Amino acid sequence: MMQKPNNMMLQTLARLIILIILSFSIYLLLAGHNSPGGGFVGGLMTASAILILYLSFDLKSIQKAIKFDYIKIIGIGLLFASLTGVVSMLFGFPFLKQFFDYFTLPILGEVELTTAMVFDLGVYFVVLASALTIILTIAEDDK
Amino acid sequence: MTLLHWAVLLPFIAAILIPFLYKYLKRIHTGWFVLILPLVLFVYFLSFIPKTSSGEVILNNLNWVPSLGINFNVYLDGLSLLFALLITGIGSLVVLYSIYYLSKHKEKLNNFYVYLLMFMGAMLGVVLSDNLIVIYVFWELTSIASSLLISYWYTREKSVYGAQKSMYITVFGGLSMLGGFSLLYVIAGTFSIRELIANADLVMASSLFIPAMILVLLGAFTKSAQFPFHIWLPDAMEAPTPVSAYLHSATMVKAGIYLVARLTGVFGGAPEWFWIITIAGLVTLTWGSISAVRQKDLKGILAFSTVSQLGLIMSLLGAGSAAFYFQDGDNALYMTAILAAVFHLINHATFKGSLFMAAGIIDHETGTRDIRKLGGLMTVLPVTATISLIGLASMAGLPPFNGFLSKELFFTGMLNVTEYGIFNLETFGFIIPVIAWIASVFTFLYCILMFSKTFMGKFDISKLKVKHVHEAPIGMLISPVILAALVVVFGLFPNLLAYSLIEPAMAAIIPGILSPGEFFDVHISHWHGFSPELWMTFGVVALGILLFMTFKKWENTAFYRGEQDLFNYAYDSGYEGLIKGSQWITRLQMTGRLRDYFIYMNTFIILIMAYTMYRYSLPAIQSLDLSPIPIYFWLVILVFIGSIVVIPFINNRVALIIATGVSGFIVALLFVLFRAPDLALTQLLIESVSVILFMLVFYHLPKLKKVKTPPKMKAVKLIISIGFGLMITLGSLSVFSMGQEVNFDSISEYYTENSKEEAGGYNIVNVILVDFRGLDTMLEILVVSMAVLTVVSLIRLRFKGSEDI
């Protein structure tokens, strides 16, 4: 994409910014159940962080650094989402019935854990990988 | 979950394991592992014989979607058991045969056995379910498995053609059947067959009776290859021979017969049911037997003969359904038809299975199935010749084989029809036995033709592709020998079956007619004296031999030289027409210009909204109780409108991107103003990501071109735009005012109240997404994934338009 230099500012900033964006996106994913956020937004935000990387550096070096097959991640996300549904069926509940409870964990204190979180993680993966796949396929295509 | 449920599901579980066995245990033929399953299931089902023959039925409930009346309830009575035994018994033999038929070095055994097991499970599901919807699901699964197996050698054009054809025809029937089932649900409020039978008079009295019956019959007729839907079966012969023996003669094609037999309790007794099934069966019988004479391919002959035999069984079921009209189960007059149907069903599976396997052996050893090239194989393949002789003699209806007995019973059943004295049968009922007799003559003829052309005459190796022809390996012979032995055993001792299988199956076909504790008394005998049936058989043999003797005379007629079924032309031209027609429509509207598509969509939306508003006089906006709008709101909206209005006048792409971006961000701002942080966040991110996308593709985009639009077109577009805006405005206003007029409880109240309690989350939006409406979300991410795959395949593969995917 951008072969010529002159984007030092962008690169330096990107390194800093994406750390913030990435951690914020994970916060969004985890906090989604009780405050604004969730898998969809979290996934989009992570995608945009990675996209900034692609924008400021060239495609090839990022592909070397992040060696994920995004299409596989889509599959994993779908599996996560559907399996949470199936698991509840195994215990005799309807498909996609979600459960939650409160646990006291070391360091974190009392935490609410939900099966919906796993479902949301699936959404997160699908959205993240979909956005990246679409955009990268278009970007890689230089004919 | 009971054992019976597992019996249905086990083949599917085994199907999942097969690829691993195939991959990691290459040295052993995968078929050996598969063989265990049908054998075990066969023995398991055999253990039910004492129960069903004493009139017991087994019903195990398993709720699936109880709110919709869809439950995976397994139901086992005489009829189900008969089919289950056929499926697992013939299944075992076919798997054993396939081990020798398909080489473990050359063939993709994993595919083959996965499909075969999938079929086995689905077929067991069809015959063991009590719920119509569950039957439908399994029914379609058998169609899919069948198509996959037909196209097993998918590099051959004919295989793909046959697979497609069978898929189109059977799935068309399956969908109609689903419609029929739904109508039955509308009538009786249940999907359970037993409850439907209990409410049969309700169904009979309904005005939806005829549509429901026709739709259900479409499903049964397409599956069981009844005229004129039979054309898929001959093309299905492209499948490997074990598959033809299994799916396309012994089991799957009998699913339609099963359905008709099973639903006789619901529809039986109506003259329409009687006439449609009897006539369709007889026409199929005749058409199939005449077409079989014309075939030169061994499997082609067998395919049409299967069609014709299925017609025979179907016509018997039609004739037997009259029992419901009389409500009299003891009367031998119409009970013979049901008896013959069940008995012939078993016999057909035995002799046709052995014949298919024999044809497979001939194909395997000589490299051809063309009877014009074959001949004199009697001495070369003595065992195969014996098997074929037994099978063909039974099919032709010669004593002492089982086919003779059921053919005699068939004649009796058809002769009895003339004595019913109902449905105007006394006037032209005599046609029925006459047709049956004519069809039997042709059946006899193709049987002799097939035998003489293959095994008699001179053996000429120069016509064959192979150098040496020798008898098949012993493993390949075991299955057909077992089946041929059964043909003889059932022929000599038919009453072995009578008490164990036939009587319970008959009781299941016509339930509720026998008083409790009563049983059908079936006794099949060889000799009835010089009855009309026997004279009919003599006639069949005499005329058949006469036609065979004069073979030389009609060998060169157009009748014998062509083998294409007339209905194939209809199918082919219909298929081509469909493709051409849809291509024409597609080209007409797909201009490749986004603006055209927007015109279609918007015009459609305008029309449908305008009609709805006119029809329900919706724009009656009576009270608009609006809250005051603060100044800064006006400002935001003004900027919003401004950013949109300028877009059409911009000629620079960067400016365009920025302008659309501005409107997007303002929408996010609006969300913030309405206190919807989740939506605002998402909107912001979408905008950012799309800006990045624009930056990536910017480089590739063509230059903006000025398109000259004629003023008329411009006016049209202006009208459409204004109309669209107007409709949306009116729509939202009327929705708003209606919401104020009728006092429905807002659904959001429910979410606000229950979100914390039920789902443990304070963020309602998220709780709705992941919990309350989790299924929606799941399907949405599925759609997203599919869209991604489409984009990837569109861009990466770069089809030019004519490739086959």
Side-chain angles (χ1 to χ4, degrees):
Chain A
M1 292 273 90
M2 308 193 173
Q3 297 93 343
K4 296 284 165 232
N6 256 352
N7 46 6
M8 192 182 76
M9 261 173 74
L10 187 62
Q11 292 187 350
T12 323
L13 267 177
R15 279 169 222 233
L16 258 176
I17 288 173
I18 67 148
L19 263 186
I20 303 171
I21 304 183
L22 272 181
S23 38
F24 185 60
S25 72
I26 291 169
Y27 162 77
L28 277 181
L29 166 70
L30 295 177
H33 215 47
N34 288 311
S35 36
F40 193 88
V41 185
L44 264 183
M45 192 159 261
T46 313
S48 60
I50 297 177
L51 283 176
I52 289 178
L53 272 185
Y54 278 104
L55 265 187
S56 23
F57 302 89
D58 61 313
L59 270 174
K60 287 211 175 101
S61 44
I62 300 300
Q63 259 156 5
K64 257 183 212 161
I66 310 174
K67 284 184 184 161
F68 287 122
D69 182 353
Y70 295 119
I71 294 191
K72 274 187 192 147
I73 296 185
I74 296 183
I76 293 172
L78 281 177
L79 269 183
F80 266 57
S82 47
L83 282 185
T84 44
V86 175
V87 168
S88 64
M89 271 172 87
L90 288 185
F91 292 97
F93 293 99
F95 182 65
L96 275 178
K97 163 105 183 149
Q98 310 285 15
F99 302 91
F100 66 96
D101 206 347
Y102 298 86
F103 299 92
T104 314
L105 296 180
I107 308 171
L108 296 171
E110 194 188 29
V111 176
E112 181 193 8
L113 291 181
T114 65
T115 52
M117 189 63 239
V118 184
F119 183 83
D120 224 9
L121 196 65
V123 177
Y124 173 84
F125 279 141
V126 173
V127 172
L128 163 66
S130 306
L132 285 176
T133 320
I134 293 184
I135 292 180
L136 291 181
T137 334
I138 296 174
E140 279 167 11
D141 179 67
D142 43 6
K143 268 169 241 161
Chain B
M1 295 287 267
T2 57
L3 264 179
L4 266 177
H5 286 107
W6 284 112
V8 175
L9 295 179
L10 264 179
F12 292 105
I13 296 168
I16 297 173
L17 298 176
I18 288 303
F20 298 103
L21 289 173
Y22 174 72
K23 197 165 178 191
Y24 297 111
L25 291 167
K26 274 238 172 234
R27 293 226 318 254
I28 309 169
H29 196 288
T30 319
W32 291 113
F33 303 109
V34 180
L35 182 59
I36 304 167
L37 184 81
L39 269 181
V40 170
L41 287 178
F42 183 68
V43 175
Y44 172 66
F45 282 119
L46 274 182
S47 72
F48 282 102
I49 286 186
K51 279 189 185 167
T52 51
S53 55
S54 62
E56 246 180 89
V57 294
I58 292 140
L59 177 69
N60 293 322
N61 290 334
L62 179 71
N63 283 355
W64 186 13
V65 196
S67 52
L68 297 175
I70 300 171
N71 296 310
F72 184 18
N73 296 346
V74 289
Y75 179 73
L76 188 88
D77 60 6
L79 186 65
S80 314
L81 184 70
L82 172 64
F83 271 90
L85 286 174
L86 276 183
I87 294 160
T88 50
I90 306 273
S92 313
L93 296 176
V94 160
V95 171
L96 177 66
Y97 178 80
S98 72
I99 293 172
Y100 294 90
Y101 189 83
L102 296 171
S103 147
K104 72 176 166 192
H105 303 296
K106 284 184 239 155
E107 304 284 353
K108 291 192 182 109
L109 294 175
N110 50 342
N111 290 358
F112 180 79
Y113 287 113
V114 166
Y115 303 155
L116 202 72
L117 284 169
M118 193 170 114
F119 165 76
M120 198 183 287
M123 192 67 206
L124 282 174
V126 168
V127 300
L128 289 174
S129 307
D130 176 54
N131 195 284
L132 288 175
I133 294 294
V134 178
I135 288 185
Y136 169 74
V137 171
F138 283 123
W139 183 279
E140 295 291 41
L141 262 179
T142 62
S143 295
I144 293 168
S146 154
S147 290
L148 285 171
L149 283 167
I150 296 170
S151 60
Y152 172 66
W153 286 310
Y154 55 83
T155 44
R156 300 183 189 172
E157 210 174 295
K158 274 186 156 181
S159 304
V160 175
Y161 171 79
Q164 273 186 340
K165 198 172 183 180
S166 79
M167 189 79 161
Y168 291 140
I169 295 180
T170 51
V171 168
F172 154 75
L175 280 175
S176 323
M177 191 179 84
L178 180 64
F181 289 169
S182 314
L183 287 185
L184 283 176
Y185 185 78
V186 171
I187 299 171
T190 176
F191 282 124
S192 158
I193 296 176
R194 279 169 316 106
E195 287 172 29
L196 276 172
I197 290 174
N199 293 323
D201 34 342
L202 199 69
V203 178
M204 192 79 83
S206 165
S207 55
L208 291 174
F209 177 79
I210 298 283
M213 186 186 82
I214 287 173
L215 287 173
V216 169
L217 282 182
L218 271 178
F221 283 0
T222 48
K223 198 75 162 181
S224 280
Q226 296 297 298
F227 183 88
F229 305 112
H230 62 280
I231 47 170
W232 69 265
L233 192 58
D235 284 302
M237 292 299 128
E238 291 302 323
T241 304
V243 173
S244 313
Y246 189 31
L247 272 71
H248 303 128
S249 84
T251 53
M252 189 188 84
V253 287
K254 293 197 176 117
I257 290 183
Y258 170 80
L259 192 76
V260 168
R262 183 52 92 201
L263 294 179
T264 300
V266 181
F267 295 108
E272 294 88 354
W273 179 262
F274 172 85
W275 279 116
I276 292 178
I277 294 178
T278 315
I279 298 282
L282 283 173
V283 172
T284 312
L285 166 66
T286 320
W287 187 270
S289 63
I290 293 176
S291 304
V293 175
R294 305 171 69 201
Q295 299 304 306
K296 280 90 189 174
D297 179 356
L298 281 180
K299 279 176 86 177
I301 301 177
L302 291 176
F304 274 108
S305 116
T306 306
V307 168
S308 121
Q309 303 277 315
L310 290 169
L312 185 152
I313 303 175
M314 201 59 101
S315 66
L316 283 168
L317 285 175
S321 74
F324 273 93
Y325 183 85
F326 294 108
Q327 291 292 325
D328 179 6
D330 267 347
N331 200 326
L333 205 56
Y334 27 81
M335 286 323 300
T336 317
I338 301 276
L339 164 66
V342 177
F343 190 39
H344 197 70
L345 188 91
I346 305 171
N347 296 342
H348 180 248
T350 55
F351 67 67
K352 192 54 72 62
S354 67
L355 283 174
F356 263 113
M357 288 178 185
I361 291 175
I362 294 168
D363 188 16
H364 204 259
E365 303 303 328
T366 65
T368 185
R369 299 191 308 245
D370 193 327
I371 54 171
R372 284 165 299 195
K373 293 181 186 160
L374 294 167
L377 289 177
M378 181 102 82
T379 46
V380 191
L381 304 172
V383 185
T384 313
T386 317
I387 297 166
S388 304
L389 182 64
I390 296 173
L392 287 169
S394 176
M395 182 152 76
L398 293 179
F401 304 109
N402 56 4
F404 166 72
L405 299 172
S406 46
K407 185 60 77 65
E408 293 271 283
L409 284 169
F410 165 62
F411 284 148
T412 317
M414 290 295 128
L415 283 171
N416 284 350
V417 169
T418 52
E419 295 170 31
Y420 280 5
I422 48 165
F423 308 149
N424 290 331
L425 278 169
E426 60 276 9
T427 42
F428 44 98
F430 71 93
I431 301 175
I432 289 176
V434 171
I435 297 176
W437 184 77
I438 293 172
S440 301
V441 173
F442 282 101
T443 308
F444 188 83
L445 180 61
Y446 69 71
C447 287
I448 334 185
L449 271 180
M450 185 171 162
F451 188 77
S452 65
K453 293 272 161 195
T454 321
F455 296 105
M456 318 239 278
K458 249 182 84 184
F459 178 59
D460 185 2
I461 196 138
S462 62
K463 283 187 190 166
L464 307 175
K465 277 183 235 152
V466 289
K467 295 251 162 60
H468 302 286
V469 179
H470 45 76
E471 187 59 89
I474 184 84
M476 215 162 158
L477 288 170
I478 297 175
S479 301
V481 165
I482 293 178
L483 285 172
L486 286 177
V487 170
V488 180
V489 172
F490 292 159
L492 294 177
F493 310 106
N495 294 315
L496 277 180
L497 294 170
Y499 314 110
S500 53
L501 286 174
I502 296 178
E503 284 177 13
M506 285 168 69
I509 293 174
I510 33 177
I513 286 195
L514 287 181
S515 37
E518 216 179 322
F519 293 101
F520 289 111
D521 184 24
V522 173
H523 188 79
I524 304 164
S525 54
H526 290 83
W527 181 250
H528 306 274
F530 286 98
S531 54
E533 294 87 331
L534 194 64
W535 289 115
M536 280 167 90
T537 305
F538 282 143
V540 165
V541 174
L543 196 60
I545 289 178
L546 184 71
L547 279 172
F548 175 66
M549 294 303 222
T550 53
F551 175 68
K552 283 269 176 299
K553 287 204 175 137
W554 48 273
E555 190 181 18
N556 285 322
T557 53
F559 165 76
Y560 189 69
R561 268 187 297 170
E563 42 177 17
Q564 215 25 292
D565 199 301
L566 284 175
F567 288 86
N568 271 332
Y569 298 116
Y571 169 83
D572 288 339
S573 50
Y575 181 69
E576 252 165 52
L578 201 65
I579 289 180
K580 283 209 180 115
S582 48
Q583 275 173 343
W584 178 72
I585 292 180
T586 311
R587 282 202 203 102
L588 208 63
Q589 49 169 347
M590 290 290 154
T591 54
R593 284 190 297 259
L594 199 57
R595 49 181 177 272
D596 288 343
Y597 303 154
F598 270 112
I599 291 182
Y600 306 149
M601 287 191 272
N602 290 348
T603 317
F604 181 73
I605 294 173
I606 293 171
L607 287 179
I608 204 157
M609 280 185 77
Y611 171 75
T612 318
M613 288 181 183
Y614 165 77
R615 171 83 174 65
Y616 298 98
S617 49
L618 256 193
I621 300 160
Q622 281 151 359
S623 57
L624 275 182
D625 188 11
L626 301 172
S627 44
I629 303 168
I631 304 268
Y632 63 90
F633 237 106
W634 284 109
L635 280 175
V636 173
I637 295 289
L638 274 180
V639 179
F640 185 40
I641 294 174
S643 73
I644 292 171
V645 169
V646 293
I647 289 175
F649 303 99
I650 300 176
N651 290 325
N652 180 305
R653 192 157 253 149
V654 179
L656 257 180
I657 296 171
I658 294 174
T660 41
V662 166
S663 56
F665 283 117
I666 294 177
V667 172
L669 185 60
L670 282 174
F671 286 140
V672 173
L673 293 178
F674 281 115
R675 281 173 294 170
D678 271 286
L679 289 177
L681 202 55
T682 314
Q683 176 72 22
L684 276 176
L685 275 169
I686 292 274
E687 281 306 322
S688 320
V689 173
S690 36
V691 167
I692 298 178
L693 182 62
F694 271 128
M695 292 172 78
L696 284 172
V697 298
F698 191 73
Y699 189 71
H700 304 292
L701 291 175
K703 283 226 162 60
L704 273 181
K705 272 188 291 186
K706 256 283 188 243
V707 183
K708 282 247 175 187
T709 328
K712 253 192 201 165
M713 202 57 210
K714 268 189 181 167
V716 169
K717 286 181 180 172
L718 194 67
I719 291 171
I720 291 177
S721 321
I722 292 175
F724 189 66
L726 195 71
M727 283 304 142
I728 297 293
T729 314
L730 280 178
S732 10
L733 282 179
S734 53
V735 166
F736 182 74
S737 89
M738 195 180 90
Q740 288 183 334
E741 277 166 37
V742 284
N743 277 323
F744 282 135
D745 283 336
S746 164
I747 183 105
S748 55
E749 301 282 321
Y750 172 83
Y751 289 134
T752 329
E753 277 165 23
N754 292 301
S755 145
K756 179 65 196 159
E757 270 170 43
E758 301 262 322
Y762 287 105
N763 181 359
I764 306 173
V765 179
N766 186 262
V767 167
I768 293 175
L769 280 177
V770 299
D771 198 332
F772 288 135
R773 309 222 42 96
L775 189 64
D776 289 350
T777 314
M778 215 189 86
L779 297 179
E780 267 160 34
I781 57 176
L782 193 66
V783 170
V784 170
S785 317
M786 289 195 289
V788 171
L789 290 180
T790 321
V791 170
V792 171
S793 47
L794 273 177
I795 291 178
R796 280 207 196 143
L797 304 177
R798 278 206 190 275
F799 288 124
K800 291 195 179 63
S802 56
E803 299 93 333
D804 201 353
I805 309 170

